[in-house]
PDB file of all heavy atoms in Angstrom:
ATOM      1  N   LYS A   1      21.339  10.857  15.921  1.00 98.00           N
ATOM      2  CA  LYS A   1      20.502  11.611  16.863  1.00 98.00           C
ATOM      3  C   LYS A   1      21.309  12.563  17.733  1.00 98.00           C
ATOM      4  O   LYS A   1      20.728  13.303  18.518  1.00 98.00           O
ATOM      5  CB  LYS A   1      19.702  10.645  17.744  1.00 98.00           C
ATOM      6  CG  LYS A   1      18.638   9.842  16.976  1.00 98.00           C
ATOM      7  CD  LYS A   1      17.591  10.756  16.353  1.00 98.00           C
ATOM      8  CE  LYS A   1      16.555   9.963  15.609  1.00 98.00           C
ATOM      9  NZ  LYS A   1      15.541  10.836  14.957  1.00 98.00           N
ATOM     10  N   ILE A   2      22.638  12.506  17.632  1.00 98.00           N
ATOM     11  CA  ILE A   2      23.451  13.488  18.369  1.00 98.00           C
ATOM     12  C   ILE A   2      23.463  14.777  17.531  1.00 98.00           C
ATOM     13  O   ILE A   2      24.043  14.825  16.442  1.00 98.00           O
ATOM     14  CB  ILE A   2      24.880  12.962  18.577  1.00 98.00           C
ATOM     15  CG1 ILE A   2      24.858  11.717  19.483  1.00 98.00           C
ATOM     16  CG2 ILE A   2      25.758  14.033  19.210  1.00 98.00           C
ATOM     17  CD1 ILE A   2      26.207  11.047  19.656  1.00 98.00           C
ATOM     18  N   VAL A   3      22.787  15.809  18.050  1.00 97.00           N
ATOM     19  CA  VAL A   3      22.596  17.029  17.292  1.00 97.00           C
ATOM     20  C   VAL A   3      22.954  18.240  18.146  1.00 97.00           C
ATOM     21  O   VAL A   3      23.061  18.159  19.355  1.00 97.00           O
ATOM     22  CB  VAL A   3      21.131  17.143  16.799  1.00 97.00           C
ATOM     23  CG1 VAL A   3      20.803  16.034  15.810  1.00 97.00           C
ATOM     24  CG2 VAL A   3      20.162  17.114  17.969  1.00 97.00           C
ATOM     25  N   ALA A   4      23.144  19.355  17.468  1.00 97.00           N
ATOM     26  CA  ALA A   4      23.473  20.603  18.168  1.00 97.00           C
ATOM     27  C   ALA A   4      22.278  21.076  18.983  1.00 97.00           C
ATOM     28  O   ALA A   4      21.137  20.810  18.660  1.00 97.00           O
ATOM     29  CB  ALA A   4      23.886  21.666  17.144  1.00 97.00           C
ATOM     30  N   GLY A   5      22.585  21.797  20.065  1.00 95.00           N
ATOM     31  CA  GLY A   5      21.546  22.417  20.858  1.00 95.00           C
ATOM     32  C   GLY A   5      20.947  21.551  21.929  1.00 95.00           C
ATOM     33  O   GLY A   5      19.962  21.945  22.585  1.00 95.00           O
ATOM     34  N   VAL A   6      21.473  20.341  22.116  1.00 97.00           N
ATOM     35  CA  VAL A   6      20.980  19.423  23.147  1.00 97.00           C
ATOM     36  C   VAL A   6      22.121  19.148  24.130  1.00 97.00           C
ATOM     37  O   VAL A   6      23.251  18.905  23.724  1.00 97.00           O
ATOM     38  CB  VAL A   6      20.461  18.105  22.537  1.00 97.00           C
ATOM     39  CG1 VAL A   6      19.983  17.155  23.641  1.00 97.00           C
ATOM     40  CG2 VAL A   6      19.364  18.373  21.527  1.00 97.00           C
ATOM     41  N   ASP A   7      21.805  19.160  25.425  1.00 97.00           N
ATOM     42  CA  ASP A   7      22.821  18.825  26.438  1.00 97.00           C
ATOM     43  C   ASP A   7      22.717  17.343  26.778  1.00 97.00           C
ATOM     44  O   ASP A   7      21.684  16.889  27.313  1.00 97.00           O
ATOM     45  CB  ASP A   7      22.590  19.671  27.695  1.00 97.00           C
ATOM     46  CG  ASP A   7      22.925  21.128  27.463  1.00 97.00           C
ATOM     47  OD1 ASP A   7      23.819  21.414  26.645  1.00 97.00           O
ATOM     48  OD2 ASP A   7      22.280  21.979  28.103  1.00 97.00           O
ATOM     49  N   TYR A   8      23.760  16.611  26.454  1.00 98.00           N
ATOM     50  CA  TYR A   8      23.788  15.174  26.729  1.00 98.00           C
ATOM     51  C   TYR A   8      24.540  14.939  28.064  1.00 98.00           C
ATOM     52  O   TYR A   8      25.326  15.785  28.495  1.00 98.00           O
ATOM     53  CB  TYR A   8      24.459  14.417  25.592  1.00 98.00           C
ATOM     54  CG  TYR A   8      23.736  14.587  24.278  1.00 98.00           C
ATOM     55  CD1 TYR A   8      24.198  15.449  23.299  1.00 98.00           C
ATOM     56  CD2 TYR A   8      22.536  13.918  24.053  1.00 98.00           C
ATOM     57  CE1 TYR A   8      23.527  15.629  22.111  1.00 98.00           C
ATOM     58  CE2 TYR A   8      21.842  14.089  22.846  1.00 98.00           C
ATOM     59  CZ  TYR A   8      22.338  14.952  21.892  1.00 98.00           C
ATOM     60  OH  TYR A   8      21.642  15.119  20.715  1.00 98.00           O
ATOM     61  N   PRO A   9      24.305  13.782  28.712  1.00 98.00           N
ATOM     62  CA  PRO A   9      24.853  13.570  30.063  1.00 98.00           C
ATOM     63  C   PRO A   9      26.304  13.104  30.081  1.00 98.00           C
ATOM     64  O   PRO A   9      26.634  12.126  30.753  1.00 98.00           O
ATOM     65  CB  PRO A   9      23.907  12.514  30.633  1.00 98.00           C
ATOM     66  CG  PRO A   9      23.475  11.721  29.451  1.00 98.00           C
ATOM     67  CD  PRO A   9      23.368  12.723  28.333  1.00 98.00           C
ATOM     68  N   SER A  10      27.172  13.802  29.353  1.00 98.00           N
ATOM     69  CA  SER A  10      28.627  13.492  29.346  1.00 98.00           C
ATOM     70  C   SER A  10      28.910  12.009  29.254  1.00 98.00           C
ATOM     71  O   SER A  10      29.518  11.411  30.134  1.00 98.00           O
ATOM     72  CB  SER A  10      29.288  14.081  30.599  1.00 98.00           C
ATOM     73  OG  SER A  10      29.120  15.456  30.676  1.00 98.00           O
ATOM     74  N   PRO A  11      28.449  11.340  28.194  1.00 98.00           N
ATOM     75  CA  PRO A  11      28.596   9.891  28.129  1.00 98.00           C
ATOM     76  C   PRO A  11      30.054   9.442  28.086  1.00 98.00           C
ATOM     77  O   PRO A  11      30.933  10.159  27.618  1.00 98.00           O
ATOM     78  CB  PRO A  11      27.864   9.536  26.829  1.00 98.00           C
ATOM     79  CG  PRO A  11      27.903  10.784  26.008  1.00 98.00           C
ATOM     80  CD  PRO A  11      27.808  11.890  26.988  1.00 98.00           C
ATOM     81  N   PHE A  12      30.270   8.219  28.561  1.00 98.00           N
ATOM     82  CA  PHE A  12      31.562   7.563  28.518  1.00 98.00           C
ATOM     83  C   PHE A  12      31.435   6.397  27.539  1.00 98.00           C
ATOM     84  O   PHE A  12      30.750   5.421  27.826  1.00 98.00           O
ATOM     85  CB  PHE A  12      31.945   7.081  29.906  1.00 98.00           C
ATOM     86  CG  PHE A  12      33.270   6.319  29.992  1.00 98.00           C
ATOM     87  CD1 PHE A  12      34.209   6.363  28.974  1.00 98.00           C
ATOM     88  CD2 PHE A  12      33.578   5.586  31.121  1.00 98.00           C
ATOM     89  CE1 PHE A  12      35.417   5.684  29.055  1.00 98.00           C
ATOM     90  CE2 PHE A  12      34.779   4.890  31.233  1.00 98.00           C
ATOM     91  CZ  PHE A  12      35.688   4.946  30.202  1.00 98.00           C
ATOM     92  N   LEU A  13      32.061   6.517  26.375  1.00 98.00           N
ATOM     93  CA  LEU A  13      32.030   5.466  25.363  1.00 98.00           C
ATOM     94  C   LEU A  13      33.354   4.713  25.386  1.00 98.00           C
ATOM     95  O   LEU A  13      34.425   5.325  25.443  1.00 98.00           O
ATOM     96  CB  LEU A  13      31.789   6.042  23.971  1.00 98.00           C
ATOM     97  CG  LEU A  13      30.504   6.869  23.770  1.00 98.00           C
ATOM     98  CD1 LEU A  13      30.791   8.349  23.932  1.00 98.00           C
ATOM     99  CD2 LEU A  13      29.897   6.604  22.393  1.00 98.00           C
ATOM    100  N   TRP A  14      33.302   3.389  25.344  1.00 97.00           N
ATOM    101  CA  TRP A  14      34.557   2.647  25.219  1.00 97.00           C
ATOM    102  C   TRP A  14      34.389   1.438  24.297  1.00 97.00           C
ATOM    103  O   TRP A  14      33.277   0.921  24.128  1.00 97.00           O
ATOM    104  CB  TRP A  14      35.139   2.258  26.569  1.00 97.00           C
ATOM    105  CG  TRP A  14      34.463   1.203  27.394  1.00 97.00           C
ATOM    106  CD1 TRP A  14      33.583   1.408  28.389  1.00 97.00           C
ATOM    107  CD2 TRP A  14      34.662  -0.218  27.301  1.00 97.00           C
ATOM    108  NE1 TRP A  14      33.211   0.206  28.955  1.00 97.00           N
ATOM    109  CE2 TRP A  14      33.862  -0.803  28.299  1.00 97.00           C
ATOM    110  CE3 TRP A  14      35.440  -1.042  26.495  1.00 97.00           C
ATOM    111  CZ2 TRP A  14      33.787  -2.178  28.504  1.00 97.00           C
ATOM    112  CZ3 TRP A  14      35.385  -2.417  26.696  1.00 97.00           C
ATOM    113  CH2 TRP A  14      34.582  -2.984  27.678  1.00 97.00           C
ATOM    114  N   ALA A  15      35.496   1.021  23.725  1.00 97.00           N
ATOM    115  CA  ALA A  15      35.492  -0.054  22.743  1.00 97.00           C
ATOM    116  C   ALA A  15      36.822  -0.786  22.799  1.00 97.00           C
ATOM    117  O   ALA A  15      37.700  -0.464  23.604  1.00 97.00           O
ATOM    118  CB  ALA A  15      35.256   0.519  21.339  1.00 97.00           C
ATOM    119  N   SER A  16      36.966  -1.802  21.941  1.00 95.00           N
ATOM    120  CA  SER A  16      38.203  -2.583  21.860  1.00 95.00           C
ATOM    121  C   SER A  16      38.686  -2.620  20.402  1.00 95.00           C
ATOM    122  O   SER A  16      37.897  -2.875  19.503  1.00 95.00           O
ATOM    123  CB  SER A  16      37.971  -4.024  22.346  1.00 95.00           C
ATOM    124  OG  SER A  16      37.667  -4.046  23.723  1.00 95.00           O
ATOM    125  N   THR A  17      39.959  -2.355  20.226  1.00 95.00           N
ATOM    126  CA  THR A  17      40.520  -2.318  18.877  1.00 95.00           C
ATOM    127  C   THR A  17      40.353  -3.660  18.141  1.00 95.00           C
ATOM    128  O   THR A  17      40.068  -3.688  16.951  1.00 95.00           O
ATOM    129  CB  THR A  17      42.009  -1.951  18.925  1.00 95.00           C
ATOM    130  OG1 THR A  17      42.190  -0.765  19.705  1.00 95.00           O
ATOM    131  CG2 THR A  17      42.561  -1.704  17.537  1.00 95.00           C
ATOM    132  N   ALA A  18      40.509  -4.757  18.861  1.00 92.00           N
ATOM    133  CA  ALA A  18      40.462  -6.073  18.254  1.00 92.00           C
ATOM    134  C   ALA A  18      39.043  -6.637  18.146  1.00 92.00           C
ATOM    135  O   ALA A  18      38.862  -7.782  17.753  1.00 92.00           O
ATOM    136  CB  ALA A  18      41.325  -7.058  19.044  1.00 92.00           C
ATOM    137  N   ASP A  19      38.043  -5.834  18.480  1.00 92.00           N
ATOM    138  CA  ASP A  19      36.665  -6.301  18.401  1.00 92.00           C
ATOM    139  C   ASP A  19      36.232  -6.366  16.947  1.00 92.00           C
ATOM    140  O   ASP A  19      35.910  -5.357  16.328  1.00 92.00           O
ATOM    141  CB  ASP A  19      35.760  -5.352  19.202  1.00 92.00           C
ATOM    142  CG  ASP A  19      34.305  -5.761  19.165  1.00 92.00           C
ATOM    143  OD1 ASP A  19      33.981  -6.828  18.607  1.00 92.00           O
ATOM    144  OD2 ASP A  19      33.458  -5.009  19.701  1.00 92.00           O
ATOM    145  N   ASP A  20      36.213  -7.580  16.374  1.00 91.00           N
ATOM    146  CA  ASP A  20      35.792  -7.741  15.001  1.00 91.00           C
ATOM    147  C   ASP A  20      34.337  -8.130  14.896  1.00 91.00           C
ATOM    148  O   ASP A  20      33.864  -8.542  13.846  1.00 91.00           O
ATOM    149  CB  ASP A  20      36.676  -8.752  14.259  1.00 91.00           C
ATOM    150  CG  ASP A  20      36.760 -10.106  14.969  1.00 91.00           C
ATOM    151  OD1 ASP A  20      36.278 -10.224  16.116  1.00 91.00           O
ATOM    152  OD2 ASP A  20      37.305 -11.054  14.369  1.00 91.00           O
ATOM    153  N   ARG A  21      33.609  -7.988  16.003  1.00 93.00           N
ATOM    154  CA  ARG A  21      32.170  -8.284  16.002  1.00 93.00           C
ATOM    155  C   ARG A  21      31.379  -6.979  15.827  1.00 93.00           C
ATOM    156  O   ARG A  21      30.920  -6.670  14.736  1.00 93.00           O
ATOM    157  CB  ARG A  21      31.764  -9.003  17.285  1.00 93.00           C
ATOM    158  CG  ARG A  21      30.399  -9.660  17.212  1.00 93.00           C
ATOM    159  CD  ARG A  21      30.030 -10.348  18.520  1.00 93.00           C
ATOM    160  NE  ARG A  21      31.100 -11.209  19.034  1.00 93.00           N
ATOM    161  CZ  ARG A  21      31.042 -11.842  20.198  1.00 93.00           C
ATOM    162  NH1 ARG A  21      29.988 -11.689  20.972  1.00 93.00           N
ATOM    163  NH2 ARG A  21      32.021 -12.608  20.605  1.00 93.00           N
ATOM    164  N   THR A  22      31.228  -6.186  16.889  1.00 94.00           N
ATOM    165  CA  THR A  22      30.554  -4.897  16.697  1.00 94.00           C
ATOM    166  C   THR A  22      31.498  -3.863  16.114  1.00 94.00           C
ATOM    167  O   THR A  22      31.053  -2.946  15.421  1.00 94.00           O
ATOM    168  CB  THR A  22      29.975  -4.351  18.023  1.00 94.00           C
ATOM    169  OG1 THR A  22      31.013  -4.230  18.986  1.00 94.00           O
ATOM    170  CG2 THR A  22      28.877  -5.253  18.549  1.00 94.00           C
ATOM    171  N   HIS A  23      32.818  -3.985  16.389  1.00 96.00           N
ATOM    172  CA  HIS A  23      33.850  -3.098  15.841  1.00 96.00           C
ATOM    173  C   HIS A  23      33.925  -1.785  16.618  1.00 96.00           C
ATOM    174  O   HIS A  23      32.916  -1.250  17.039  1.00 96.00           O
ATOM    175  CB  HIS A  23      33.561  -2.799  14.349  1.00 96.00           C
ATOM    176  CG  HIS A  23      34.757  -2.295  13.579  1.00 96.00           C
ATOM    177  ND1 HIS A  23      35.171  -0.977  13.643  1.00 96.00           N
ATOM    178  CD2 HIS A  23      35.603  -2.906  12.746  1.00 96.00           C
ATOM    179  CE1 HIS A  23      36.225  -0.818  12.852  1.00 96.00           C
ATOM    180  NE2 HIS A  23      36.517  -1.963  12.313  1.00 96.00           N
ATOM    181  N   PRO A  24      35.141  -1.259  16.831  1.00 97.00           N
ATOM    182  CA  PRO A  24      35.283  -0.012  17.592  1.00 97.00           C
ATOM    183  C   PRO A  24      34.760   1.223  16.879  1.00 97.00           C
ATOM    184  O   PRO A  24      34.626   2.292  17.501  1.00 97.00           O
ATOM    185  CB  PRO A  24      36.792   0.084  17.820  1.00 97.00           C
ATOM    186  CG  PRO A  24      37.405  -0.689  16.695  1.00 97.00           C
ATOM    187  CD  PRO A  24      36.459  -1.837  16.465  1.00 97.00           C
ATOM    188  N   ALA A  25      34.472   1.129  15.589  1.00 98.00           N
ATOM    189  CA  ALA A  25      34.050   2.311  14.838  1.00 98.00           C
ATOM    190  C   ALA A  25      32.827   2.982  15.437  1.00 98.00           C
ATOM    191  O   ALA A  25      32.715   4.220  15.440  1.00 98.00           O
ATOM    192  CB  ALA A  25      33.770   1.926  13.382  1.00 98.00           C
ATOM    193  N   HIS A  26      31.887   2.195  15.941  1.00 98.00           N
ATOM    194  CA  HIS A  26      30.652   2.776  16.466  1.00 98.00           C
ATOM    195  C   HIS A  26      30.919   3.742  17.619  1.00 98.00           C
ATOM    196  O   HIS A  26      30.438   4.874  17.613  1.00 98.00           O
ATOM    197  CB  HIS A  26      29.715   1.652  16.932  1.00 98.00           C
ATOM    198  CG  HIS A  26      29.121   0.868  15.813  1.00 98.00           C
ATOM    199  ND1 HIS A  26      28.042   1.313  15.100  1.00 98.00           N
ATOM    200  CD2 HIS A  26      29.452  -0.355  15.292  1.00 98.00           C
ATOM    201  CE1 HIS A  26      27.720   0.421  14.169  1.00 98.00           C
ATOM    202  NE2 HIS A  26      28.563  -0.599  14.272  1.00 98.00           N
ATOM    203  N   ALA A  27      31.684   3.279  18.597  1.00 98.00           N
ATOM    204  CA  ALA A  27      31.982   4.144  19.747  1.00 98.00           C
ATOM    205  C   ALA A  27      32.858   5.327  19.338  1.00 98.00           C
ATOM    206  O   ALA A  27      32.657   6.449  19.802  1.00 98.00           O
ATOM    207  CB  ALA A  27      32.663   3.336  20.854  1.00 98.00           C
ATOM    208  N   ARG A  28      33.831   5.043  18.475  1.00 98.00           N
ATOM    209  CA  ARG A  28      34.713   6.131  18.011  1.00 98.00           C
ATOM    210  C   ARG A  28      33.901   7.261  17.377  1.00 98.00           C
ATOM    211  O   ARG A  28      34.091   8.444  17.656  1.00 98.00           O
ATOM    212  CB  ARG A  28      35.712   5.583  16.988  1.00 98.00           C
ATOM    213  CG  ARG A  28      36.770   4.656  17.517  1.00 98.00           C
ATOM    214  CD  ARG A  28      37.574   4.101  16.347  1.00 98.00           C
ATOM    215  NE  ARG A  28      38.665   3.222  16.756  1.00 98.00           N
ATOM    216  CZ  ARG A  28      39.483   2.592  15.911  1.00 98.00           C
ATOM    217  NH1 ARG A  28      39.320   2.774  14.609  1.00 98.00           N
ATOM    218  NH2 ARG A  28      40.448   1.803  16.355  1.00 98.00           N
ATOM    219  N   LYS A  29      33.005   6.885  16.460  1.00 98.00           N
ATOM    220  CA  LYS A  29      32.255   7.894  15.735  1.00 98.00           C
ATOM    221  C   LYS A  29      31.309   8.668  16.642  1.00 98.00           C
ATOM    222  O   LYS A  29      31.102   9.867  16.455  1.00 98.00           O
ATOM    223  CB  LYS A  29      31.512   7.238  14.572  1.00 98.00           C
ATOM    224  CG  LYS A  29      32.439   6.721  13.469  1.00 98.00           C
ATOM    225  CD  LYS A  29      31.726   5.849  12.457  1.00 98.00           C
ATOM    226  CE  LYS A  29      30.715   6.620  11.669  1.00 98.00           C
ATOM    227  NZ  LYS A  29      30.080   5.780  10.618  1.00 98.00           N
ATOM    228  N   GLY A  30      30.743   7.949  17.628  1.00 98.00           N
ATOM    229  CA  GLY A  30      29.889   8.647  18.577  1.00 98.00           C
ATOM    230  C   GLY A  30      30.668   9.709  19.340  1.00 98.00           C
ATOM    231  O   GLY A  30      30.192  10.852  19.524  1.00 98.00           O
ATOM    232  N   ALA A  31      31.878   9.350  19.790  1.00 98.00           N
ATOM    233  CA  ALA A  31      32.715  10.319  20.504  1.00 98.00           C
ATOM    234  C   ALA A  31      33.118  11.485  19.596  1.00 98.00           C
ATOM    235  O   ALA A  31      33.105  12.648  20.027  1.00 98.00           O
ATOM    236  CB  ALA A  31      33.949   9.611  21.054  1.00 98.00           C
ATOM    237  N   ALA A  32      33.462  11.175  18.353  1.00 98.00           N
ATOM    238  CA  ALA A  32      33.873  12.220  17.438  1.00 98.00           C
ATOM    239  C   ALA A  32      32.731  13.197  17.164  1.00 98.00           C
ATOM    240  O   ALA A  32      32.948  14.417  17.071  1.00 98.00           O
ATOM    241  CB  ALA A  32      34.366  11.602  16.121  1.00 98.00           C
ATOM    242  N   ARG A  33      31.517  12.685  17.053  1.00 98.00           N
ATOM    243  CA  ARG A  33      30.367  13.567  16.812  1.00 98.00           C
ATOM    244  C   ARG A  33      30.120  14.465  18.023  1.00 98.00           C
ATOM    245  O   ARG A  33      29.859  15.674  17.884  1.00 98.00           O
ATOM    246  CB  ARG A  33      29.134  12.713  16.508  1.00 98.00           C
ATOM    247  CG  ARG A  33      27.832  13.502  16.286  1.00 98.00           C
ATOM    248  CD  ARG A  33      27.872  14.384  15.038  1.00 98.00           C
ATOM    249  NE  ARG A  33      28.067  13.622  13.832  1.00 98.00           N
ATOM    250  CZ  ARG A  33      27.080  13.052  13.119  1.00 98.00           C
ATOM    251  NH1 ARG A  33      25.838  13.133  13.538  1.00 98.00           N
ATOM    252  NH2 ARG A  33      27.362  12.408  12.005  1.00 98.00           N
TER     253      ARG A  33
END
């Protein structure tokens, strides 16, 4: 749902490298997008 042409409220995403439950990939990819 992160798409061009929309102003988002400068979110702060954080994660933990050793998190083997939800995994840091989710937050990483959100930031990269």
Side-chain angles (χ1 to χ4, degrees):
K1 293 298 180 182
I2 296 175
V3 295
V6 178
D7 290 329
Y8 299 103
S10 301
F12 178 16
L13 302 96
W14 71 263
S16 295
T17 309
D19 180 5
D20 54 351
R21 195 181 311 176
T22 58
H23 199 280
H26 288 280
R28 290 174 178 178
K29 291 169 66 177
R33 178 65 61 85

